Amino acid sequence: MRIGVPKETKDNEYRVGLTPSSVSELIRSGHELVVERGAGLGAGFTDSAYEAAGAAIVDGPDAIFENAELIVKVKEPLPVERWKLRPDQILFTYLHLAPDPELTHDLVGSGAICIAYETVTSPSGGLPLLTPMSEVAGRLAPQIGAHFLEKQTGGRGVLLAGVPGVPAAEVVILGAGVVGSHAAAIALGMGANVVVADRNPEALRRLDSKFGGAVRTVFSTETVIREIVKRADLLIGAVLLAGARTPTIVSMDMVPTMKPGAVIVDVAIDQGGCCESSRPTSHSDPVYVREGIIHYCVTNMPGAVPRTSTFALNNATLPFVQAIADKGWRRALREDEHLRAGLQIFRGKVTSAPVAKAQRIAHLPVESALGPLS
């Protein structure tokens, strides 16, 4: 199969779909790799490293989109890329379609077969291609929040750890999943007082056991959220419903009750955000102030550490890329229910029920799209 790796075009996105070592693995399996010039530079991978691995280097994205059967990216295609997609071309990347009707419309119109990293599942019920970036984003969130709490960035002028005689900052984390647990670990390590809210008692028990009671856990209700939001110096949104739009946990009227100069880091912004006051931002313009509260809502947080993120992502995605390339998309999807869970758009139809529900549009069940699975 001819596999193409274009350079990412999202604002300050320096990750790349495949590392040179991943390219080498695929070439050893008999596949042809085409990489856009400069695609890996932001993550520290030179064009010569890709050439040494056996890839062909081409100038510009057109040669990638015109010739590749499988496009491997990191982030969703921007408008200029969507029009380059061809019918039956396979796109494998993060999509986060639920809050983005325009992207959904364009991908439907392309006729391409679009598989989203974030909804590929594992035998244990996890999300193996989302998990590594959730880990990165969770670990980034407290240090980003700590930075914007500094006075020169507009924050309250609070040190997360405090000092002897001065209390540590209050970090409130909404969600006890992968993002929330990693954010809690880093916030604790930075010396903050941490409280995590979730509606899953088992998730709260796991956190309590993991941190030996150092993290306070609370069952999430509207009344509880209203109270803990008031006390937060840093609020981290870590809520996820796989493939669906994130529910609003912090309503607009709660935001003014927060401490002036407090910070919200809404990691859930890729799926719409869990704070009603949140709107997408970029690495080049990461924050805005609303109701006196600093909002950080960058939609590609792990892009801030592209080398770490690219290796972590490739460790998870390579087996699936290999399966698609070795077997062809139809056989790979039919034989692997976990990869099949990632199918979002198929030849002009939405195959994801959560996306269809979020956008109030019709959807074609995956089984109907692919035909008999056995």
Side-chain angles (χ1 to χ4, degrees):
M1 182 175 283
R2 185 179 296 112
I3 303 168
V5 182
K7 185 176 182 179
E8 295 296 317
T9 55
K10 196 175 181 78
D11 179 78
N12 280 274
E13 181 54 75
Y14 298 113
R15 289 173 289 179
V16 62
L18 292 172
T19 65
S21 61
S22 294
V23 165
S24 180
E25 288 289 314
L26 291 163
I27 286 176
R28 276 199 292 270
S29 296
H31 304 294
E32 181 182 346
L33 273 292
V34 184
V35 178
E36 184 177 350
R37 189 176 303 280
L41 289 177
F45 306 119
T46 62
D47 293 336
S48 60
Y50 283 105
E51 288 178 315
I57 302 297
V58 297
D59 292 312
D62 288 350
I64 301 286
F65 284 91
E66 287 172 5
N67 298 300
E69 299 164 85
L70 169 60
I71 302 289
V72 180
K73 282 178 45 61
V74 177
K75 291 301 291 180
E76 73 282 354
L78 297 186
V80 68
E81 296 172 297
R82 296 170 205 167
W83 304 117
K84 299 179 190 297
L85 289 166
R86 297 180 285 105
D88 274 3
Q89 195 168 47
I90 310 152
L91 174 65
F92 195 30
T93 189
Y94 287 115
L95 289 175
H96 299 291
L97 293 178
D100 197 338
E102 181 182 345
L103 173 60
T104 302
H105 176 271
D106 290 349
L107 293 182
V108 165
S110 74
I113 298 160
C114 305
I115 305 171
Y117 292 159
E118 71 270 13
T119 55
V120 172
T121 58
S122 69
S124 64
L127 301 170
L129 308 192
L130 183 62
T131 293
M133 296 303 94
S134 295
E135 292 170 341
V136 171
R139 288 170 178 251
L140 276 172
Q143 70 181 53
I144 288 169
H147 172 68
F148 285 105
L149 276 172
E150 295 174 6
K151 195 65 177 178
Q152 67 269 25
T153 60
R156 285 173 49 74
V158 171
L159 180 66
L160 281 194
V163 292
V166 180
E170 296 288 331
V171 176
V172 172
I173 301 171
L174 305 180
V178 176
V179 171
S181 63
H182 281 264
I186 299 302
L188 276 177
M190 296 175 76
N193 293 319
V194 181
V195 59
V196 178
D198 200 291
R199 295 186 68 85
N200 183 342
E202 282 303 314
L204 296 177
R205 289 190 187 100
R206 285 195 297 271
L207 272 191
D208 185 71
S209 175
K210 178 178 180 178
F211 296 114
V215 170
R216 289 172 289 153
T217 58
V218 295
F219 186 80
S220 178
T221 65
E222 182 180 349
T223 300
V224 166
I225 297 300
R226 284 187 179 277
E227 287 305 310
I228 61 176
V229 160
K230 295 176 186 177
R231 301 198 295 267
D233 294 293
L234 169 60
L235 176 69
I236 297 174
V239 179
L240 173 70
L241 295 179
R245 188 179 181 91
T246 304
T248 297
I249 306 298
V250 178
S251 59
M252 190 66 72
D253 66 306
M254 295 182 193
V255 178
T257 71
M258 296 180 69
K259 302 171 184 176
V263 175
I264 293 174
V265 176
D266 198 341
V267 182
I269 195 64
D270 269 331
Q271 294 290 131
C274 62
C275 299
E276 192 174 5
S277 56
S278 294
R279 59 171 172 80
T281 62
S282 65
H283 285 295
S284 61
D285 189 16
V287 297
Y288 61 92
V289 178
R290 189 163 188 178
E291 300 291 349
I293 308 303
I294 298 171
H295 291 64
Y296 178 99
C297 306
V298 173
T299 55
N300 57 329
M301 284 178 62
V305 285
R307 190 167 179 85
T308 297
S309 296
T310 296
F311 277 118
L313 182 59
N314 267 235
N315 291 344
T317 58
L318 180 59
F320 293 97
V321 174
Q322 187 91 53
I324 295 169
D326 288 349
K327 300 177 181 180
W329 63 263
R330 187 181 295 276
R331 181 181 162 202
L333 289 169
R334 282 179 169 173
E335 291 184 356
D336 188 345
E337 63 180 307
H338 304 295
L339 178 61
R340 195 160 64 241
L343 185 63
Q344 303 273 291
I345 305 287
F346 180 84
R347 292 177 169 170
K349 302 291 184 181
V350 175
T351 52
S352 166
V355 170
K357 181 179 179 181
Q359 298 183 16
R360 298 178 182 176
I361 56 178
H363 92 285
L364 178 69
V366 172
E367 293 75 13
S368 299
L370 296 179
L373 299 177
S374 60

